[in-house]
Each structure stands twice: as structure tokens, then as C-alpha cells.
């Protein structure tokens, strides 16, 4: 066969398979009953819901609780359909099956422009893309908690699973009592009939599991009848978090536990040339020294195993190690963030000047519009690398015994945690038992599983005893997967009245997703990186009506380990775009709110959010002398957020007094949790805007602990209020969308106060 | 060695510790009192805050030798026999925690504050609560401390269930 014929027939076969796959119905997400009873006393009604003998509902929880309230909000969806109290719903960690994979997060990775996906008016391309990716994601079944996607992902499947269970339970009761099913009702988990018969779910679960209820008899409760969604029940995780009984990763204490502490090569990507193992073994309490490789993206290092974390910390700190620098070009030198920043600016400028990079958004004729313009306005913005700094340092507990691996991990990525554990231990993935604890913060850091790989590796050396690996804070700061640095070159062509006619914008930075896939699913690593939406999100997808646009992303390879950080690309792109829009308002001589509104005719949701924040902040009303307001508006993760900040200068330091947030996140499940996430997202964003930086010199991260990397303190925290736009659209995310507008709102307020435009973060110098 | 923790005498085996071992690791790894958290190891974040003779201390830099014979209180001992400490009740009423990891330390710092300063001003709260929280629970921490202070004020009617609007 000629090569050409072979390739063509291969393509035809591939196409036929694809068409055939496409014609198959999407993978069911409610899940089968499986074994009729999971234990003697519990009955499985579907993949999500089991009924205990005492009538409690056991819900398969497929998302990690890291503060975002998912252990409360997801059960609310079930409580609504089953008319049972939250206190009667018990959470069980979902298994590794594809059923529990995340679909919504993959939908969020599609690079669609707001003009093409206005709710209810999506283009055919948007609909087709979503259909395809949803189907693919269902097949892949990758379970991760991220992308502010938990509610959106559960929004259809959990109510359907619960409504199905409800129909089956009612059907069983009707049969048992010989009563018409539509005369039965459920009151707080008890099925009742006006004749006086009543019984809890546990009394009907077995019969329910034997019933087949036709789809037309399954009724998901309509919005008008909601009694749980939209209310504010107390979070179920709070009592344990105020009395010390909540179990985070480091609180797991299996019998016979040993403790391990890691020291990585200080130079990112380097390794240990020589370790004085004998001297370390002679230190008090030390049991083992284990060298660690580069699995899952980690820098190589050495772990000390001891009888307490303290003994391991002491020995690791004093351990004599000769480090070896990573392979590098001597003419360039080791990693250096100043050099990277300059090279990013160069890459952005070159791509901007030569129509290079990947154009994520193109419309109209930018060249012609620039030629016809009365004038242009250009600006260059810079954002630094950032660390996650979760309050709970990286840790993982593992036990390798009898061919099985048990892992206790605070992880956002259970699929990859199991896979890496199996890879390291050389066992089948089915031989890995993963227990997910509460997460002491995630923010995207725990989408990586480097610390899981290390814990398993160490546990292979402890003779079957479990071992708890803890990273000292210094290792956490210096061996993160950092929010990538970025530089944006932005140019607007303005007409005689100062109205923007064209936008030519290019952002340069490393793309996270290809690196993340390569270290977590090595089998999927490709030689050439596909364009990564996260490297352009919040930059190319502006809602503003500017007729001519070319917005591109220039992917770079800086060599710094990078990862997903709360709000990912939006976290710095909103700073670039919302400050630049503010500059354009100034150029046009217009009020920043009025200017934005004049460009939002096509996007009423954005306009509504902006107006709400402006109204509640009394935008335009005079402030006390020495104070000014700034505004930013940004969409991310399916939600639109506007923030108005009121600032002053205190001895030259910015001081934020009040933040008014407005959000349209579609249907709200729990408004109290939305408010919490707005507060937390704003504070996270303010920490970064004021202080956030990771400097690398000679391949080594400079900031090693909180004294060198300040975070916003209680004393610096402004008053924050949240206003929610009522909506009947499907829910968007809330964990991340409050973070992106924080920096631009602050910087725009400082411009209003001082007339000086800051185009580089952070605002404050590093501590002396 | 013996320690006074949460009103009880606890035996600490000498072979498991040494006098320079920080109290944090004695609590967590030897006594399995895991409510006290490790955050930074340099007294910068406050996740490890406990009370020693009523005062808030950062247990990650407090050597075991310095707390012998003194009264140690951890988050596990904050509640009374029958009901939660007013701060814990206020924490629930205001729905303060998110991830929750820093909250033990926050509560212990707040408890020490209210003991010496029953009606703290904003400035006094700012000065006393220097604990870090990456989730950004600070506004609710402030509000909950004020609610608890009001509950503890002797002139007020006896404590009932707290009702606070959180959003």
C-alpha cells in the first residue's frame, strides 16, 4: 500500500470511528445500581445515592472540600429533590469510576468568545463544540476539583439522580401500601399518606431498587417549588473546623506512622549530587534517608524519615547535601525572573509587530482601522510569578504493603493521584486505595500530585509502615508550580472622539495545560503544544464592542514550573485588560463606568453587573478628601463580577477601605457561600496585587517563608459587601471569579487618586 | 515528663521528645492532638497558636522545656463541658471558616484577646489577630469576635442561640 493510500484510509477509518462514536448516546451520568446492596444495610439506588437502613441518604461526593463549600452545596441539590434535611445526608467519597469525572471543567476550557455564547443565543459552533467536549469528557471521566466547576458539573446530574431515587422510593411505598403514588408525599425524609401511614426511606429502599420507573415518571422538582436551593443552611463542615476535629491531610494518623520531611535541590530542576546519609542516620530519631527523583514534575531531593515530624525537620535541615544545578545553557545561566520578564516583553512585542502568536480572537480589519485612526494609545503591562501558599503545606500519607498502596491525600486531582501512586509503586491503578481528606486550601496547587508521588516513593522504603510526608514551608514556597508571569502589549486605535475602533493586543507567557498534562498523564504528552485557552483567557474574550480586534497569545517556554493558580489566566489578564480599558476611558475623557457601559450594548448581563456594583458603591458621589474609587468588570468561569474599591494612601502605601462586589453567577445555590467566596477571592486578589511576587535568582526562588512573602492581614482587610444579580440561568462558578477584578479595581482607584498609572505588579516593594 | 493540657495531666514519654522540641510537634505527633496546625515553623502565620497560662503563643517556636508546669490550652479544650465557647458559637453563627486550616489558631488568639480585652475595639482586634488566612475569612473573624464579646458581656441577658445574618 502506498503511504498516501494508507494515510487516507487511516483517516477514513478514524473518521468512521468518530462518526460512530458520535452517534452513540452520551454516557449515562446517573449510574447503574450495580450490586443491589453495597453492605448488608445499605441499598444503592444509582451511582450517586444509597439509602441506609435508618433512612439516611448516603451521597457519593466526587469533589474535594477546600473551603469552597462543596460539601454543603452539592448535598443541597440532593436535599431539594428528596425533601430530606441536610443532616440526614451523609457524604461518602466517590470511587474512581469514570461516572464521577468532571465534565463542566472541560467545557470551561473551550476558547469561545462572549459574542458567540450569549446564553440562549449560542452559535452553532459553540453548541457543537460543547456537545463534543461534554461527550469526550464523560468518556474520559477525569476527576478533578477545579475551574470553579463543581456546581455547574453537578447541576443536572445530581438533581436527576435524586429525582430518580425519589420516584423509585415513592413507587415502592405506593406498591407496599396499595395507594396511588400521586397521593404520597415526602416530609423531611419520611414518606406519608393522609390516611396516616408513614415510613422513612430505609423501609422502602429494597423494593425501590427492584423497581424500574419509566423516565416520564421521574420529575425533577421545578424552580417554583424549591425550598433548599437559594437558601442559606449552615455549612456542614463548620462544626468540625471550630473544635479541632476536622481531618486535613496532616491529621491522618494510621497505626505505626512514621514521618518524613523533604529537602529539594534549591535550584529548580536540579538534583542532589552527594548526600551524607550516614551522618543523617545518626541523628536522633532518624530511620531512613530516601532520595527522590523528578516524578510528576517535582525537583529532585532527599527525604528524611524519622519518628516525629520534628525529628525529620531537624535532620533534613542539617543534612549535608551537595546540590547539582539543572542542565542549562551557560551563556544564558540559571533561571532568573528578571531575564524572563525581559524576554517575555520581547516576545510579546515581536508577536504584536509581526501578527504572530495564536490569534484567539479576530474580527474586522485592524490594519485598516489603525491606518484610519485619529490616534493610538499603547501600554505594556507586567505580572510576576506567584505562589499558592496554601495554609496547609504540601503533605501526603502513604503505605505500601502486600502489593497494595494506600494513600491519604488532600488532593484536587484524585484521578492523577491514583495514577501517579500506581506508577511510582509499579502496581496496577486498581491496587491503589485513595482517601481524600479535607484540603487546607487548594487554589490549584493541589491539582498537582508531586507530593503524592514522593510519599509513595518513601513508603516503599519503610517496610510496610505508613509514612507521612510533610513539606516545610520553605519547600512549599520554593518548589511550587507557580502562576506564570506574563507581559501584555496592548494598542488601541481611537477615533477623533477617543472611542476605540481597534484593539491589537498580545500577551506572552508560558502555557500551563501542556506542562500539567505532561507531568500528570505522560502518555498524553505531545511534542508540540496545542494552544491553551488558559494562557489567553480573560484577554481575548472581552465583552466590549470594539469593531476591529486582533488578540493573540504568544506561548513561551521559560523553564519555571508553572501550574494553575486561583483564576488561572484570568488572574493577571484581568489586570491587563481592565486597567487598559480604564486608560482608554481616560483617553476618551469619560467616566470609567459610563465608558464601559457605552461599549456593553450587546452584553446586558455585563452591564447589569457593572451598574449594580456602581450603584451600591455610590459611584460618582463625592468621597472624603484623599480617597478615590476604582472599578473593574470581568467574566471568568461562567460568572461576571464587578468590583468597586475605595482607596487612600497611608504614608505612600495603598489602603483599601471598602470593596463592593456584584456578581451574576446564574442560579445561586447558596448565597452565603457566594458571599464567602467573593470576600475570599477579593482578599486573595488584593494579597497578590499588593505583595505577590516570586523572584528567581540563579535558579533559586528568593521568597522562602511568610516573612519574605507577606499576605494581606486582618488589619489591612477592607469592608467587603456582595450583591448578587437574580438569575434563572444555569449556575456559573464562584470560587475564582472574585479574584481577577481585585488588582485592576485597586490599580484603577490609585490612578483616580494620584493620576499615576501603575502597569506592573505587585504595588509594594519586597520586605527589606 | 508531664504536661498540663486542657485541664488534664498528660504523660509525655521522654524517649519520644527532647527539651528543644517545639510544643506543636509534641501536641501533634506525640499526643495526637491534631487540632493545632503546622503552617510555617517560624511563628509568622499563627496556625499553631495555643494558649499557655492564658496567653496566645505560637507553638511551632515554643520549646517543650518552656511549658513544663504551665497550663496549656489547645483548640480541643476551648469548649466548655457542655457547650461550645462563645467564640465557637459566634464562628458558626457568622459562618467564618472556609478551608478551616487556620481557624484553630484564629480561635485561640481570639480567646486570649477576649480574656484580657473583653470589649476589643477594631484596632485592638487588628493588633491581636495577626494570624494569616489564605481563604480570606478576616471580615467574618472580626465580626465573630465582636459578637462573642457582646455575648460575654455580663450586663447582657443570658446567652441564647445566636442569629446572625451572614450575607
Amino acid at each position: 500500500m502506498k503511504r498516501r493510500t494508507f494515510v487516507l484510509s487511516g483517516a477514513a477509518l478514524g473518521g468512521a470511528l468518530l462518526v460512530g462514536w458520535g452517534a452513540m448516546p452520551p454516557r449515562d451520568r446517573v449510574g447503574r445500581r450495580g450490586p443491589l446492596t453495597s453492605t448488608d444495610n445499605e441499598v444503592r439506588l444509582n451511582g450517586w445515592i444509597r439509602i441506609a437502613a435508618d433512612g439516611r441518604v448516603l451521597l457519593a461526593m466526587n469533589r474535594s472540600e477546600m473551603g469552597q463549600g462543596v460539601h454543603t452545596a452539592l448535598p443541597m441539590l440532593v436535599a431539594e429533590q428528596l425533601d430530606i434535611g441536610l443532616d440526614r445526608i451523609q457524604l461518602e467519597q466517590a470511587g474512581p469510576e469514570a461516572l464521577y469525572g468532571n465534565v463542566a471543567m472541560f467545557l470551561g476550557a473551550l476558547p469561545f468568545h462572549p459574542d458567540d455564547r450569549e446564553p440562549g443565543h449560542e452559535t452553532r459552533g459553540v453548541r457543537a463544540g460543547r456537545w463534543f467536549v461534554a461527550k469526550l469528557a464523560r468518556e474520559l471521566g477525569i476527576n478533578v476539583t477545579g475551574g470553579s466547576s463543581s456546581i455547574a458539573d453537578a447541576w443536572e446530574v445530581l438533581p436527576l439522580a435524586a429525582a430518580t431515587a425519589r420516584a423509585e422510593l415513592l413507587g415502592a411505598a405506593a406498591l407496599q401500601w396499595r395507594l396511588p403514588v400521586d397521593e404520597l408525599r415526602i416530609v423531611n425524609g419520611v414518606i406519608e399518606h393522609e390516611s396516616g401511614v408513614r415510613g422513612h426511606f430505609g423501609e422502602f429502599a429494597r423494593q425501590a431498587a427492584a423497581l424500574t420507573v419509566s423516565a416520564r415518571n421521574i420529575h425533577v422538582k421545578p424552580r417554583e417549588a424549591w425550598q433548599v436551593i437559594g437558601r442559606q443552611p449552615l455549612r456542614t463542615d463548620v462544626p468540625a473546623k471550630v473544635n479541632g476535629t476536622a481531618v486535613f491531610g496532616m491529621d491522618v494518623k494510621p497505626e505505626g506512622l512514621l514521618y518524613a520531611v523533604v529537602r529539594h535541590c534549591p535550584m529548580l530542576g536540579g538534583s542532589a549530587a552527594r548526600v551524607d546519609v550516614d551522618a543523617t542516620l545518626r541523628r536522633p530519631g532518624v530511620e531512613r534517608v530516601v532520595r527522590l527523583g523528578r516524578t510528576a514534575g517535582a525537583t529532585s531531593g532527599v527525604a528524611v524519615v524519622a519518628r516525629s515530624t520534628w525529628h525529620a525537620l531537624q535532620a533534613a535541615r542539617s543534612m549535608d547535601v551537595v546540590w547539582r544545578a539543572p542542565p542549562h545553557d551557560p551563556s544564558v545561566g540559571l533561571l532568573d525572573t528578571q531575564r524572563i520578564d525581559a524576554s517575555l516583553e520581547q516576545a510579546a512585542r515581536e508577536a504584536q509587530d509581526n501578527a504572530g502568536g495564536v490569534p484567539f480572537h479576530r474580527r474586522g480589519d485592524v490594519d485598516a482601522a489603525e491606518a484610519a485612526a485619529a490616534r493610538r494609545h499603547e501600554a505594556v503591562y507586567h505580572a510576576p510569578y506567584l505562589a499558592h501558599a496554601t495554609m496547609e503545606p504540601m503533605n501526603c500519607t502513604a503505605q505500601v504493603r502486600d502489593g497494595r498502596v494506600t494513600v491519604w491525600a488532600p488532593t484536587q486531582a484524585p484521578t492523577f493521584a491514583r495514577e501517579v501512586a500506581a506508577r511510582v509503586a509499579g502496581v496496577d491503578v486498581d491496587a491503589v486505595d485513595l482517601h481524600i481528606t479535607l484540603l487546607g486550601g487548594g487554589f490549584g496547587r493541589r491539582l498537582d500530585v508531586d507530593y503524592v508521588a514522593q510519599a509513595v516513593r518513601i513508603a516503599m522504603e519503610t517496610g510496610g509502615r505508613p509514612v507521612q510526608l510533610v513539606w516545610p514551608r520553605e519547600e512549599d514556597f520554593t518548589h511550587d508550580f507557580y502562576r506564570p508571569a506574563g507581559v501584555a502589549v496592548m494598542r488601541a486605535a481611537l477615533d477623533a472622539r477617543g472611542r476605540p475602533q481597534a484593539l491589537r493586543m498580545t500577551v506572552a507567557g508560558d502555557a500551563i495545560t501542556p506542562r500539567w498534562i505532561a507531568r500528570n498523564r505522560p502518555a498524553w504528552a505531545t511534542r508540540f503544544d496545542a494552544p491553551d485557552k488558559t494562557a489567553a483567557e480573560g484577554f481575548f474574550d472581552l465583552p466590549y464592542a470594539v469593531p476591529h480586534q486582533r488578540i493573540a497569545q504568544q506561548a513561551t517556554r521559560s523553564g519555571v514550573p508553572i501550574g494553575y493558580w486561583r483564576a488561572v489566566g484570568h488572574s493577571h489578564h484581568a489586570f491587563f485588560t481592565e486597567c487598559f480599558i480604564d486608560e482608554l476611558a481616560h483617553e476618551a475623557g469619560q467616566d470609567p463606568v459610563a465608558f464601559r457601559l457605552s461599549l456593553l450594548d450587546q452584553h446586558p448581563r455585563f452591564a447589569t453587573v457593572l451598574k449594580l456594583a456602581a450603584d451600591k458603591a455610590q459611584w460618582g458621589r463625592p468621597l472624603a478628601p484623599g480617597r478615590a474609587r476604582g472599578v473593574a468588570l470581568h467574566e471568568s468561569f461562567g460568572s461576571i463580577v464587578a468590583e468597586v474599591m475605595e482607596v487612600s494612601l497611608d504614608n505612600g502605601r495603598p489602603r483599601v477601605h471598602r470593596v463592593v462586589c456584584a456578581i451574576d453567577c446564574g442560579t445561586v445555590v447558596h448565597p452565603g457561600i457566594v458571599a464567602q467566596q467573593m470576600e475570599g477571592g477579593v482578599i486573595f486578589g488584593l494579597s497578590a496585587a499588593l505583595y505577590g511576587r516570586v523572584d528567581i535568582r540563579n535558579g533559586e526562588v528568593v521568597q522562602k517563608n511568610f516573612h519574605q512573602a507577606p499576605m494581606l492581614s486582618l488589619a489591612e482587610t477592607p469592608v467587603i459587601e456582595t450583591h448578587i444579580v437574580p438569575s434563572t440561568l444555569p449556575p456559573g462558578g464562584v470560587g475564582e471569579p472574585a479574584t481577577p477584578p481585585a488588582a485592576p479595581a485597586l490599580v484603577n482607584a490609585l490612578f483616580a487618586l494620584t493620576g499615576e498609572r501603575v502597569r506592573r505588579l505587585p504595588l509594594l516593594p519586597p520586605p527589606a | 515528663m508531664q504536661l498540663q493540657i486542657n485541664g488534664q495531666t498528660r504523660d509525655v514519654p521522654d524517649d519520644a521528645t527532647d527539651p528543644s522540641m517545639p510544643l506543636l510537634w509534641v501536641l501533634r505527633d506525640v499526643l495526637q492532638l491534631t487540632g493545632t496546625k503546622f503552617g510555617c515553623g517560624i511563628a509568622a502565620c499563627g496556625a499553631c497558636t495555643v494558649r499557655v497560662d492564658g496567653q496566645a503563643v505560637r507553638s511551632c517556636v515554643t520549646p517543650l522545656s518552656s511549658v513544663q508546669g504551665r497550663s496549656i490550652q489547645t483548640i480541643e479544650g476551648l469548649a466548655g463541658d457542655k457547650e461550645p465557647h462563645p467564640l465557637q458559637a459566634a464562628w458558626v453563627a457568622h459562618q467564618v471558616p472556609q478551608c478551616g486550616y487556620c481557624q484553630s489558631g484564629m480561635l485561640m488568639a481570639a480567646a486570649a484577646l477576649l480574656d484580657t480585652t473583653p470589649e476589643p475595639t477594631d484596632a485592638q482586634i487588628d493588633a491581636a489577630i495577626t494570624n494569616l488566612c489564605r481563604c480570606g475569612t478576616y471580615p467574618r473573624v472580626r465580626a465573630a469576635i465582636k459578637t462573642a464579646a457582646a455575648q460575654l458581656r455580663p450586663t447582657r441577658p443570658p446567652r441564647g442561640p445566636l442569629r446572625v445574618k451572614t450575607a
Side-chain angles (χ1 to χ4, degrees), chain A residues 637-660:
Chain A
F637 308 96
S639 298
I640 303 164
V641 174
E643 290 168 18
V644 174
M645 291 202 188
E646 194 177 311
V647 306
S648 68
L649 285 174
D650 182 5
N651 285 324
R653 287 171 64 93
R655 167 93 214 190
V656 185
H657 300 275
R658 181 179 176 217
V659 182
V660 177

Side-chain angles (χ1 to χ4, degrees), chain A residues 569-602:
Chain A
H570 296 281
S571 67
H572 45 312
H573 296 152
F575 163 58
F576 302 158
T577 58
E578 275 302 286
C579 285
F580 190 62
I581 288 292
D582 221 63
E583 294 197 33
L584 297 184
H586 185 69
E587 290 296 316
Q590 279 202 51
D591 170 83
V593 170
F595 179 77
R596 285 174 173 81
L597 287 174
S598 75
L599 299 173
L600 287 172
D601 285 349
Q602 299 303 310

